[in-house]
Amino acid sequence: MLVFIFITINLYLIFSSHSGLRHIILNRYFPSSLTVEAWVNPSSLPTYGEIRGIVDTRDNLGAATSGYVLELWNDAGVQKIAWLSGPGGPAATYTLPVGQWSHVAVAHDGTSQMARIYVNGNEIASGTSYAINNVVENLRIG
């Protein structure tokens, strides 16, 4: 299946845990490896301490131990892009250009437990990525 996602930050779609799309993408036979890609055109960047999900299925229960998220966040004034699955994952200091489209992707390899983050085809981060399990939350895009 080939999916193109076009996102303008500050707008989002939510597919409930009962929607057909969620079950196609996130059913219990979820692959151990996957690539998540999005074209992102932020109208502004996250402010101090703010997190903005690009694609998000994580729980919001403190430790966020299930699902995954590809996100932009402002870490004490530093713009970052991160991939989190389970308890953690790689992140990079990177500022997306405001008002321009950028291709953001992550390749998650469940076998080697590694993930690589790309912006416009250039690898900007890699590191340990944990198994994607217990995806029970809604799929949020944007």
Side-chain angles (χ1 to χ4, degrees):
M1 175 172 34
L2 181 62
V3 178
F4 291 96
I5 300 172
F6 294 90
I7 297 172
T8 299
I9 302 298
N10 298 336
L11 299 175
Y12 61 89
L13 300 171
I14 295 178
F15 297 93
S16 77
S17 59
H18 302 291
S19 75
L21 178 60
R22 184 214 179 252
H23 287 291
I24 291 169
I25 297 174
L26 304 172
N27 65 30
R28 64 185 179 138
Y29 301 108
F30 196 85
S32 64
S33 298
L34 78 151
T35 300
V36 175
E37 301 180 48
W39 282 96
V40 181
N41 183 355
S43 57
S44 64
L45 296 174
T47 58
Y48 192 93
E50 183 182 9
I51 297 171
R52 295 188 188 168
I54 297 171
V55 177
D56 188 357
T57 67
R58 292 189 81 189
D59 64 50
N60 294 317
L61 305 174
T65 57
S66 71
Y68 61 84
V69 63
L70 177 59
E71 67 186 10
L72 304 178
W73 105 86
N74 184 313
D75 183 19
V78 178
Q79 296 295 327
K80 295 192 176 184
I81 298 176
W83 166 258
L84 304 171
S85 60
T93 299
Y94 194 91
T95 303
L96 288 178
V98 173
Q100 294 180 21
W101 288 102
S102 296
H103 183 258
V104 179
V106 63
H108 168 87
D109 184 335
T111 303
S112 68
Q113 293 189 327
M114 292 292 295
R116 299 180 188 285
I117 301 172
Y118 300 88
V119 175
N120 296 323
N122 298 306
E123 183 178 319
I124 62 165
S126 65
T128 301
S129 184
Y130 300 89
I132 298 172
N133 55 28
N134 302 321
V135 179
V136 297
E137 297 298 316
N138 296 335
L139 169 63
R140 179 177 166 147
I141 299 174

